[in-house]
Every structure is written in structure tokens, then in C-alpha cells.
Amino acid sequence: MSHPQFQWARLDTAAKIFPCTSSTKDPKVFRFVCELKEPIVPQALQQALDQTIELFPGFQTILKRGMFWYYLEQTNMRPTAHEECRPPCSVLYDRDVHTLLFDVTYYGCRVNLEVFHAISDGTGSMHFLRVLIFRYLQLVHPKELGSLPELDYDASETQSMDDSFERYANRQKKPKTEAVHRAAHLHGNKRTEGLNVVVGTAPVNDLLAYSHRCGASMTMVLCALIMQAIRSQMSVNETKKPVVLAVPVNLRNHFRSASARNFFSVMDVSYNFSKRNGSMEDILQELERQFQRGLSPEELQYRVNQYIGLIKNPFSRITPLSCKDFAMRLGYYSASQKETSAVSNVGVVHMPAALAPYIRQFAVFVSTEKLQMCSLSYENRITLSFSSAFANTDVQRCFFRSLIKEGIPVEIDTNLCDE
């Protein structure tokens, strides 16, 4: 089904931070990748993109500055699928040039979807890529796939464009939480251009079996391994501070929403190696406690309220946008000092079984000024993708060696020519 076109829309509540904090070093862009088992046919990809954009009205927009807030304006610009020609996660939003805020590229067997975070989060963008790949494979293989029923994503325009923060905010007070004032940080030479990307692919069954042996969820095991890898690269002074990981939480898993816009929050989990023994068992025990607290209904509701509280504040509403930008950049910098790195488990990608013979794997990674790991799984393959602003890859090496030491085979792919 196609949607009627809206004229303009306010940025969703969570998206308001992205335009004022995007930069050439961290343009707030993430990339989803689908790797097929056959080379891409450009004409079919363009045709599939033309069909897909009709289902996602929030993607066919440009970003403009108002007197008090940014807003999205519907545009007649049509997206063009083209061969990859820039480094991954390059700038998509330029305040002086009005362009679409997403890009579809291809190279060999890969299709890349890059998105400026102001228009969607990982879940919303994954829906877009799933529909795109589904339509593309139907066009390329009409005899085998042409009669398949539509995918499970069929949100109306209202549902797709919903700012779910506003729908679920209430007046609940803040629960008691443990405050972290300053986290340990990684140090080293930064790359002068582009991201350092290292993608490891492993069997899901093997990683799940390891997680079961540890008695923890896969996300907690990945967090623990990264904490240990970071600890191995920390200076003596830095070990006095806790390692803090920012873990995005998909709020759709806790509040009903079909929005293709941003509806996520961030939970910080920490471990102080100077005050505890640093064993895998102890880290997982601490993470278990923090995950239970961070994912409690009271904590999740508070995070929804926190976003809305800032937006609805009477003083904030009448403050000019330029002042808001300055204040939000200060707040963002302050928050970033309390985090060492970030880990995002996007979850499982579901596609019709008939498409499995044509799809090798999916992957996702993000722009960052630090180090960040994103994971997702499809069939029995999980991709663990590190993006980093640092030139060295010592943390990534330590992390993947930990998996291999546990008997989990890992295939490594990277954009580093000298690795």
C-alpha cells in the first residue's frame, strides 16, 4: 500500500539531539548491509527502491531549521541507488544543502542502506532494508519469489510517523539509580579520515551455547567480553575509573509501537576493575544486576518521561533554536564523558524462508568518535561489527581472540588495507 504524502513534521523527541551534534567526525549515520549470494542488478535495485520509499514517508524528507525547532519537510526528490563511492557512514546531513537523509548504494553482492539518525533508528531502518531486499529479490527472481505474500511490515502513515515518546509519557518520578560521574576512556591516535571497520562473523549456535555455559544472555556476554578487551588496553590511571558501556534499548519491545522513527533509549552499564576481581563470572553477575534494574518498567518509563520533560519544558519551548543547539551540544559532551564505548545488539533479522538461498548475511555499524560494536543475526550467522575512530585495532583483536579461545570460529572482514 502507498501512503498519502504529509507536508511537514516535527522531529521526533529522541531525534532532536542529532542535527546539532552531527559533525564530519561523527555525522550520526549508521549503515545496514545485506550481502546476497549473487551480484546486484542495479536496475532492479532502483525499481525496488522506488516501491519501498512509498511505504516509508518519513524517509522522503529534507531537514530544515525553524525558529524554535528543526522539522522535516516532505520533498519530491527521489532516491537513487548507486554504486558505492564514499567511505562508510559519510555525512548525509548538511545544514546548507537540502538533500535526502538516507542513501542506498551497492557494491558487488552487497546492498548498503545508510541513514541519518534524525529520521529513524535501527529498528525502523531495518524494516526499510527488509522491504527493499524482499522487493528486489522478487524482481530479480519472479518465477521463484513473485507469488510470495507481502512482508509483515504494513504500518499506516500515522503509525509509521508516530512519535511514540509523546504517546507513552506520564508523570512518574525518577527511580533511584547509581550515578557515574566520569568513565574510563580509550586513548590512541585517531584516523585522519573515515572509520576503521572490522566485522566478525560467527555461528549463532556456538555463541548461544557459550552464553548458556556462562548462564547469561548473549548481549551480556558480549558486553563482558568487550569490557575485558577494553581493560586490557587501559593505562594504570584509567583503571581507577569504571568502564561504562552505553546499551541502546529498543522501546518497541516494551511499549507497543510500529513507528519507523526513533523510539529507543540508552542504558549505561558499568564495571570498575579497580574495585572488583575482573573475572568473567563477576562481570556477568554485576551486569545481570544492572540489566535487571535498567530494563525494569519503572526505569524504562522514566527514560520516556525524561525525553518528553526536556521538550515540554516551558522555557525550552520559547528558547531560540541556536540557544537550544548550544545547550544540547554541552549536554551531549557531558554525557559522552560518562561513557567508554557502546554496544548495540539489534537482534534477529526475520525474512521469509524462501529468500534464504539468496541471502548470505546482514550487518550493521555506526559512525562514532570512539569505539562502538553493533551486532545482529540472520539464520545461523551473527555479525559483530566494530566501528572505531582509532587507528589501532587492539580492542577488536582482544575481543575476537576471546571468542576463538572459547572454540567459536570467527571470519574477519575489514576495510583496513594494512591488516
Side-chain angles (χ1 to χ4, degrees), residues 26 41 79 230 250 264-265 274-275 299 313 320 331 418:
D26 181 5
V41 180
I230 290 172
N250 179 13
F264 73 100
S265 183
S274 68
K275 296 181 178 178
E299 183 70 23
N313 181 291
D418 56 345

Side-chain angles (χ1 to χ4, degrees), residues 276-306:
R276 304 181 71 101
N277 64 34
S279 67
M280 189 69 175
E281 293 75 15
D282 192 58
I283 297 173
L284 287 173
Q285 187 178 23
E286 181 63 9
L287 288 179
E288 173 76 27
R289 185 183 67 81
Q290 296 184 29
F291 268 75
Q292 281 188 1
R293 184 201 66 208
L295 296 177
S296 66
E298 296 79 15
E299 183 70 23
L300 292 171
Q301 183 65 60
Y302 166 68
R303 292 204 199 100
V304 171
N305 298 345
Q306 190 180 35

Side-chain angles (χ1 to χ4, degrees), residues 145-406:
L145 306 175
S147 60
L148 289 178
E150 288 291 320
L151 278 181
D152 50 4
Y153 186 80
D154 189 25
S156 68
E157 176 175 333
T158 302
Q159 292 170 326
S160 176
M161 294 296 293
D162 182 45
D163 184 350
S164 298
F165 286 96
E166 291 198 351
R167 193 145 54 93
Y168 288 107
N170 62 27
R171 295 180 179 274
Q172 179 182 296
K173 293 182 179 178
K174 179 182 180 181
K176 291 183 178 179
T177 55
E178 303 160 16
V180 173
H181 300 291
R182 194 170 179 82
H185 288 279
L186 291 167
H187 298 283
N189 295 329
K190 297 281 187 78
R191 285 172 66 98
T192 55
E193 185 179 357
L195 277 175
N196 164 338
V197 179
V198 180
V199 180
T201 304
V204 174
N205 290 344
D206 288 358
L207 194 51
L208 276 176
Y210 175 49
S211 302
H212 292 158
R213 291 199 299 276
C214 293
S217 71
M218 188 188 294
T219 300
M220 282 192 275
V221 168
L222 294 176
C223 287
L225 291 175
I226 290 175
M227 283 178 162
Q228 288 186 326
I230 290 172
R231 167 65 184 87
S232 70
Q233 305 304 317
M234 287 164 59
S235 65
V236 174
N237 283 335
E238 286 295 310
T239 57
K240 298 174 184 175
K241 305 170 191 169
V243 175
V244 182
L245 300 181
V247 181
V249 178
N250 179 13
L251 293 174
R252 298 171 185 81
N253 294 335
H254 307 274
F255 302 88
R256 182 177 296 179
S257 171
S259 177
R261 306 174 80 185
N262 289 283
F263 191 43
F264 73 100
S265 183
V266 177
M267 167 179 68
D268 284 341
V269 293
S270 64
Y271 188 85
N272 194 324
F273 285 88
S274 68
K275 296 181 178 178
R276 304 181 71 101
N277 64 34
S279 67
M280 189 69 175
E281 293 75 15
D282 192 58
I283 297 173
L284 287 173
Q285 187 178 23
E286 181 63 9
L287 288 179
E288 173 76 27
R289 185 183 67 81
Q290 296 184 29
F291 268 75
Q292 281 188 1
R293 184 201 66 208
L295 296 177
S296 66
E298 296 79 15
E299 183 70 23
L300 292 171
Q301 183 65 60
Y302 166 68
R303 292 204 199 100
V304 171
N305 298 345
Q306 190 180 35
Y307 281 110
I308 287 292
L310 294 173
I311 304 306
K312 297 293 185 183
N313 181 291
F315 178 75
S316 171
R317 296 177 71 169
I318 61 172
T319 301
L321 182 57
S322 57
C323 297
K324 287 194 185 82
D325 279 353
F326 179 73
M328 285 194 282
R329 279 195 288 269
L330 279 180
Y332 175 78
Y333 174 78
S334 175
S336 71
Q337 295 305 300
K338 300 175 183 176
E339 296 170 352
T340 308
S341 182
V343 174
S344 178
N345 185 359
V346 177
V348 182
V349 181
H350 296 285
M351 297 294 280
L355 271 59
Y358 306 95
I359 300 174
R360 183 168 185 267
Q361 64 184 29
F362 286 87
V364 58
F365 53 88
V366 301
S367 64
T368 177
E369 289 190 79
K370 298 181 179 178
L371 170 80
Q372 184 156 346
M373 196 277 278
C374 298
S375 66
L376 60 75
S377 59
Y378 171 70
E379 299 283 304
N380 192 34
R381 295 172 70 87
I382 182 169
T383 50
L384 308 160
S385 308
F386 283 91
S387 50
S388 172
F390 295 99
N392 74 68
T393 57
D394 295 335
V395 172
Q396 298 91 314
R397 287 173 191 271
C398 184
F399 172 83
F400 287 122
R401 283 173 178 166
S402 298
L403 290 179
I404 294 169
K405 187 179 176 183
E406 295 297 329

